[in-house]
Amino acid sequence: MTTLQSIKGFKDILPGESELWQTIEEQAKTIFSDFGFREIRLPMLEKTELFARSIGEATDIVEKEMYTFQDRGGDLLTMRPEATAGIVRAYLQHKLYAQDPVHKFYTIGPMFRRERPQKGRYRQFSQINAEIFGVASPYADAQLILVLVHLMNRLGVTDAKPHINSLGCPACRPDFRTALQSFLAGVGDQLCSDCLRRRDTNPLRVLDCKVPGCKDATRNAPALADYLCAECQRHFATVGQALDDRNVAYTIDDRLVRGLDYYIRTTFEIQTSALGAQNAIAGGGRYDGLAQALGGPDIPATGFAIGLDRLAEIVGSIQRPAPPQPHLYIAALGENTRPLAFQCVSQLNTRGIRAEMGYEDKSLKSQMKRANKLGAGYVLIIGEQEIKQGAAPLRNMTSKAQIDIPVNGLADRLTAHFENTSG
Ligand code: AMP
């Protein structure tokens, strides 16, 4: 019989890798707390309508990537392809704006998109998201970029740089859109089939198409920067200035348009050369109109999403957290020694001391081999003879020094010994 395999594009995070994920998540949580963000945890399933109305009908995600199904009650539901829409939904549903004018949230969890799987691109992937609600100021955008830069520094990711752009606003973007569309009308024969479609539905997306022919065709396309209104120009300049003041290097990238419709003004990505084609570790931007578009008050907002799978790949090439090693291994020889060994190990475990034992009836040699494999600091050898004599040898696996520990009150005596030897 063949064993079952996971679904294409869905991967397992095994021990060894999971410690790396934990390290990243803990570091991110510490930074979020330092910068004043609080955690929000949301459902993975939402009504399909939420994503169609927020991400945009003419985006790749909504057009072809969502895991959507009708549940047994007939409701049309979607596995969340991103977190922002759900966070806005929760923010409006619970009227959080009425409790406080400013909210800073973060959330960590899996997202689902039916993309073509490849290295760095999965159908279930995880994101670390951060959102600031109620602040129109460019300093909120700058703060998010600083959080990202700070996290990369803490994790030792040196080859990561913010790329920033402004997408304009409803006042100035339509003029740019019109200019771009008339430019694209003249180069139709050079565009890929996706871009031919995007030209009508979402022309800005043509600008960041990775197909070489499309890149060539749009080399002389109108630049967004030339169409920004005074307010958008000021906003963008302040973001840049705030980063300059913190000595954060960044690249202004007027091709950075990103795949979701709701962005206005500032957009940004953290890019690296370490990942090949999938070079974005994180992306985000401002989405002031989204709360209102989803039926709420007109509240400005800005946020980002880090691709945790990609970040883990990079951090894993820099550091590998060592697997946790037991402080003590009890080699229990003979069935009658096992109750004492088990009692002792579980007492130590509940005191926060990592201890393991030989569960099965194995020779001393094989148990010592196991202790070595686990990297135990000490091994206590208990045989029936030791119980009779009232003392068992404790071996320091590094120095090979050995002392006898009385078996009476064994867990207390071991705890005291480890405390005295400070480990
Ligand atoms: P987005 O939500 O599309 O703005 O993406 C934000 C970040 O999530 C990207 O910069 C990637 O790091 C990550 N990401 C997006 N899609 C995937 C995917 N299919 N597989 C792995 N990571 C992804």
Side-chain angles (χ1 to χ4, degrees):
M1 211 195 321
T2 54
T3 52
L4 292 173
Q5 304 290 306
S6 60
I7 313 165
K8 194 172 162 200
F10 287 67
K11 70 189 166 91
D12 305 313
I13 312 293
L14 303 178
E17 210 187 341
S18 63
E19 286 87 3
L20 193 61
W21 283 55
Q22 284 172 1
T23 304
I24 296 172
E25 287 169 12
E26 279 157 22
Q27 203 58 262
K29 284 179 186 176
T30 304
I31 292 173
F32 282 135
S33 160
D34 293 344
F35 279 75
F37 289 76
R38 296 176 67 193
E39 188 178 16
I40 184 166
R41 297 189 188 208
L42 299 171
M44 266 171 254
L45 267 187
E46 297 274 3
K47 289 183 184 151
T48 304
E49 186 192 347
L50 173 67
F51 301 113
R53 274 172 59 187
S54 55
I55 299 171
E57 297 278 5
T59 56
D60 284 354
I61 296 179
V62 173
E63 270 184 353
K64 50 189 187 193
E65 295 172 359
M66 295 204 303
Y67 282 95
T68 296
F69 61 95
Q70 213 163 25
D71 80 354
R72 286 164 196 271
D75 292 328
L76 202 56
L77 305 178
T78 293
M79 306 281 287
R80 64 178 182 194
E82 56 98 55
T84 303
I87 297 177
V88 177
R89 196 261 315 130
Y91 175 79
L92 297 178
Q93 180 176 336
H94 302 286
K95 297 193 170 52
L96 297 180
Y97 48 86
Q99 292 172 16
D100 197 321
V102 177
H103 282 270
K104 293 157 91 171
F105 302 116
Y106 77 88
T107 195
I108 302 177
M111 308 296 152
F112 305 84
R113 292 182 199 170
R114 202 176 185 291
E115 295 190 82
R116 195 169 48 78
Q118 63 184 83
K119 189 172 155 59
R121 200 203 271 160
Y122 311 100
R123 289 179 170 178
Q124 177 180 329
F125 58 98
S126 286
Q127 286 186 340
I128 301 175
N129 290 265
E131 320 283 344
I132 302 178
F133 286 83
V135 185
S137 157
Y139 288 102
D141 305 340
Q143 185 171 53
L144 289 170
I145 298 169
L146 288 175
V147 166
L148 287 168
V149 169
H150 189 43
L151 178 62
M152 297 306 144
N153 288 342
R154 281 262 174 100
L155 294 170
V157 180
T158 47
D159 172 35
K161 200 170 174 200
H163 287 233
I164 64 173
N165 189 23
S166 175
L167 289 184
C169 68
C172 54
R173 190 157 55 191
D175 282 350
F176 173 71
R177 198 176 190 268
T178 310
L180 181 62
Q181 267 176 326
S182 60
F183 171 85
L184 294 174
V187 294
D189 51 341
Q190 299 169 57
L191 298 177
C192 71
S193 57
D194 273 344
C195 281
L196 278 177
R197 194 168 36 84
R198 287 177 189 138
R199 188 172 63 175
D200 301 321
T201 57
N202 201 348
L204 269 70
R205 284 295 278 165
V206 178
L207 291 179
D208 79 341
C209 180
K210 303 287 183 280
V211 174
C214 297
K215 277 186 172 175
D216 282 345
T218 56
R219 217 168 284 284
N220 297 318
L224 236 166
D226 299 332
Y227 287 78
L228 295 182
C229 63
E231 195 41 52
C232 284
Q233 279 177 23
R234 230 185 342 261
H235 190 103
F236 191 54
T238 307
V239 174
Q241 187 61 51
L243 297 178
D244 290 339
D245 291 345
R246 297 291 302 122
N247 290 322
V248 171
Y250 57 88
T251 301
I252 294 179
D253 179 352
D254 64 5
R255 293 281 165 131
L256 186 69
V257 298
R258 310 195 25 76
L260 297 82
D261 268 3
Y262 51 60
Y263 288 116
I264 73 154
R265 293 207 169 125
T266 321
T267 54
F268 51 88
E269 270 187 3
I270 300 287
Q271 294 182 6
T272 166
S273 56
L275 288 171
Q278 305 304 322
N279 64 353
I281 314 177
R286 180 161 280 284
Y287 53 95
D288 289 351
L290 186 55
Q292 199 171 35
L294 291 177
D298 185 10
I299 288 171
T302 178
F304 69 64
I306 302 172
L308 192 41
D309 305 68
R310 292 184 195 174
L311 183 56
E313 222 166 278
I314 295 175
V315 176
S317 65
I318 303 166
Q319 51 163 304
R320 276 270 160 203
Q325 294 174 323
H327 203 60
L328 172 75
Y329 185 92
I330 299 184
L333 303 168
E335 205 46 56
N336 295 335
T337 64
R338 229 160 319 274
L340 175 64
F342 181 73
Q343 179 86 345
C344 178
V345 162
S346 39
Q347 270 177 292
L348 293 176
N349 290 155
T350 52
R351 289 175 190 172
I353 298 173
R354 220 173 274 142
E356 289 286 343
M357 64 178 275
Y359 295 104
E360 316 282 354
D361 205 10
K362 294 268 169 64
S363 70
L364 177 60
K365 192 173 163 209
S366 110
Q367 294 198 47
M368 290 305 283
K369 212 166 136 192
R370 172 106 188 110
N372 262 321
K373 182 160 191 238
L374 293 173
Y378 291 84
V379 175
L380 184 82
I381 302 165
I382 313 179
E384 293 184 9
Q385 188 69 17
E386 280 74 19
I387 294 186
K388 226 179 274 165
Q389 285 169 359
L394 177 71
R395 185 181 299 177
N396 181 321
M397 296 297 277
T398 319
S399 67
K400 305 293 176 210
Q402 202 160 295
I403 56 163
D404 278 344
I405 302 281
V407 292
N408 187 15
L410 186 58
D412 291 344
R413 291 181 194 273
L414 286 166
T415 307
H417 177 75
F418 294 145
E419 275 168 6
N420 288 339
T421 54
S422 68

